[in-house]
Amino acid sequence: AAAVAQGKADAATEALERSLGLARAFGSSLTEAEALSVRATLKRSAGDERGAREDAEAAMAIYARLGATAARAAVLAWLEA
């Protein structure tokens, strides 16, 4: 997330892909959802609204499955902004 905030898109993309891979490999759904949410932000900032929506919707589905209603609502609010 810090790399995204600092405008270092390439480093952020690499870190997010590693995070997603590890989260999926170890079955960490919360980490996967968080990484998808951050990647959605990165994609939107790069002008990829479709990719951002796909990642945000995937994150929301995971949050819903986990019962993380506040996190899901935050992603939904971001998506609708």
Side-chain angles (χ1 to χ4, degrees):
V4 174
Q6 294 173 2
K8 299 177 182 176
D10 291 340
T13 299
E14 289 177 22
L16 287 167
E17 293 306 323
R18 281 193 308 274
S19 294
L20 279 169
L22 289 169
R24 289 171 176 157
F26 290 100
S28 178
S29 297
L30 180 59
T31 301
E32 181 181 358
E34 291 169 343
L36 285 165
S37 295
V38 174
R39 192 170 73 176
T41 302
L42 179 63
K43 287 181 176 181
R44 181 179 271 179
S45 70
D48 181 5
E49 191 62 34
R50 180 176 163 204
R53 175 169 289 283
E54 289 171 358
D55 281 351
E57 288 175 351
M60 287 190 302
I62 294 169
Y63 285 137
R65 189 178 77 238
L66 296 175
T69 55
R72 185 188 179 286
V75 174
L76 180 60
W78 174 85
L79 189 58
E80 294 177 343

